[in-house]
Amino acid sequence: IIQNRNFQSLFDLSYTVPAMHLTESGPSDEIRLRGIGSGNNGSFEQSVGTFVDGIYHGRARMSRAMFLDRERIEILKGPQSTYFGNNAIAGALNLTTRRPGEELEGYVSALYEANHGEYALEAAAGGPLSATLGARIALRTSGMEGFLTDVSAAEDVPNTEDSAGRIVFVWKPAGNFDATLKLEAGSGDTSEFR
């Protein structure tokens, strides 16, 4: 359902999820559930905990690149310290990414808007490499040329460029045992008014 609605980031969720507010801002992003959040100070850990595949991401800005090749998103409102620890006093966003399946499969998604030069390209593929080893790779790039003119710099702002990538290896040698190795990286650049 996430792909059917063409959600490009976590911030698109705030248009459809009641009592959820996400805002992209300069030093940090703001995540609020039912009106409770930490503000946009980059040094604060968020009151709404963000977990990607069970790993805690303490800074809201880190959540931009992780919205890639997702399997599901769980939004838990209210204190979640019993399940997620002390860093989820306002709620939790629990993102689960896709793992390699039993068959080779993948997808490509592209978006382009000509008026402001907004674009997004995402691709992923995965499947078995052998009887016990599977792999999945996912890549995403997006950006925008801006829709407001900064007359002092004679350019359109905000200019954004974001890119992210992830590769996952899953090894299942026998029985119920499996081991997962996940490598991911992302970068983001935004230029605003000077």
Side-chain angles (χ1 to χ4, degrees), residues 1-7 13 70-73 98:
I1 205 164
I2 297 170
Q3 287 179 332
N4 293 344
R5 293 189 178 201
N6 200 26
F7 290 153
L13 293 176
R70 58 256 158 228
E71 181 178 299
R72 70 178 180 275
I73 299 171
R98 291 186 182 165

Side-chain angles (χ1 to χ4, degrees), residues 17-105:
V17 177
M20 182 175 181
H21 176 77
L22 292 101
T23 305
E24 292 183 17
S25 59
S28 181
D29 298 333
E30 285 188 56
I31 302 176
R32 296 180 185 272
L33 281 174
R34 299 193 308 184
I36 301 171
S38 299
N40 67 350
N41 188 324
S43 63
F44 290 169
E45 289 202 14
Q46 293 294 305
S47 299
V48 179
T50 302
F51 299 84
V52 179
D53 293 330
I55 298 171
Y56 174 64
H57 292 264
R59 304 293 185 258
R61 194 166 184 89
M62 296 175 67
S63 61
R64 289 187 191 185
M66 300 308 119
F67 198 78
L68 166 69
D69 196 29
R70 58 256 158 228
E71 181 178 299
R72 70 178 180 275
I73 299 171
E74 299 165 338
I75 301 166
L76 304 149
K77 298 176 183 176
Q80 302 296 324
S81 56
T82 303
Y83 296 110
F84 291 101
N86 211 20
N87 294 323
I89 61 169
L93 301 177
N94 188 24
L95 286 80
T96 303
T97 60
R98 291 186 182 165
R99 294 165 46 111
E102 309 248 336
E103 297 179 1
L104 180 64
E105 59 91 20

